[in-house]
Amino acid sequence: MKKSSLYKALLATVLVFILSAAGAAEISKNEYNRLRQVEKTLQQQISEMEAELKTSKSLANYKKSYLAAVPATAPQPASDAEMAKILAGARYVMLGDEHTTNQSQINTANVLRMMRAAKEPVTLVIEWVDISFQKEIDAFLAGSLPLKDLRARISFDKLWGFSWASYAKILSAAKQLKTPILLVERLKGNHSLADRDSFITATIVAHAKKATNMRYLVVYGDYHILGDGHLSSQLAKAGLKPQTILIGDAADIYWKLLGKGKDPAKIGFASLSNGIYYIRNGTPLERSLSYRDYLMKMLGYKKSDFEDWVGPADIVPQAGGRNNFEALHSR
């Protein structure tokens, strides 16, 4: 691909992110504090319901390992244009997926577009379709199986159960960009996290041996993406490196960026350290609200079961007018 064509492709992808930030406005210090209180309420409700799930010790340790690996350094905002150039040249990209937020799946499609702006081929690796349905996915990409029929053919609702409308965007983007999809997950079985990561690694490595110039976008839940012995670590040990890692489950990073930049709509990417970046797969409030609602549906909770209620309107940042950060500090 010629440089001019590459830059045009990158520009088109970047515009998708920029347009979503239109109408941005700064928030006041009081509004910032209000949002933090809303987050606290949501986390309390989530903790109450998670206590009923009896989370396994292995999952708790897996999460702990992920959180320990999240860089503690101050995040440095990265523009969409900067990330587009990085991703266009990246060989192995590990992208965290927040299953319950639509923004996360939109971001997956956009990151794929950024990678496909370069001439080298890319294979998309996804978590949410069982490995036994590779032929069905290939048929969809080839145009012989309509999207409307694919949902049932891959048992999406039974085996995954999150928003089909959100995840279908990724399939459509892959088809439009002529990007093959590699299935590596065994959703039909019950496997430990360690066993899953090992199997996924072996499957990707086997594929890479047959496609020596292939680049990969591996999209999995955040906990797989970072952590000692987790998927990214196993892939690196197998020789699939250097890696560009993008994580979204990092609430502290978001709040640091908001406290510094003051404008929620301008928070997108941020550099953390050593090829690790933050990507806003929904704000912490959006992520918590969608996850709380998911747990409520699964466990049969009602609005009246909580002492305090937080709804969609409560998580929307309100512009601060004269009560913005600058005004507060200049009085």
Side-chain angles (χ1 to χ4, degrees), residues 104-131:
S104 184
Q105 287 77 60
I106 291 174
N107 284 348
T108 296
N110 287 332
V111 167
L112 179 60
R113 291 187 182 96
M114 289 179 174
M115 292 186 70
R116 292 293 286 121
K119 65 180 180 179
E120 294 81 8
V122 176
T123 289
L124 173 63
V125 180
I126 58 176
E127 175 183 13
W128 42 277
V129 180
D130 188 83
I131 193 171

Side-chain angles (χ1 to χ4, degrees), residues 287-302:
R287 294 166 66 96
S288 294
L289 182 70
S290 61
Y291 181 50
R292 183 208 62 184
D293 291 348
Y294 170 76
L295 290 176
M296 287 181 66
K297 182 178 180 181
M298 181 171 61
L299 297 173
Y301 269 67
K302 302 183 297 295

Side-chain angles (χ1 to χ4, degrees), residues 139-151:
F140 164 75
L141 294 175
S144 58
L145 179 61
L147 181 64
K148 65 181 181 65
D149 297 334
L150 185 61
R151 180 177 184 174

Side-chain angles (χ1 to χ4, degrees), residues 192-257:
S192 69
L193 290 163
D195 181 49
R196 287 175 62 196
D197 284 344
S198 295
F199 181 83
I200 298 162
T201 297
T203 306
I204 296 175
V205 169
H207 185 275
K209 287 181 179 179
K210 298 178 181 179
T212 54
N213 295 321
M214 186 60 65
R215 301 160 65 214
Y216 291 88
L217 171 57
V218 181
V219 186
Y220 255 76
D222 278 290
Y223 296 168
H224 292 274
I225 298 302
L226 201 60
D228 185 30
H230 294 201
L231 180 57
S232 59
S233 175
Q234 291 195 30
L235 286 170
K237 289 180 180 178
L240 274 63
K241 58 183 180 180
Q243 298 174 350
T244 301
I245 297 175
L246 297 96
I247 58 172
D249 192 351
D252 287 346
I253 300 297
Y254 173 85
W255 292 115
K256 287 178 182 178
L257 290 168

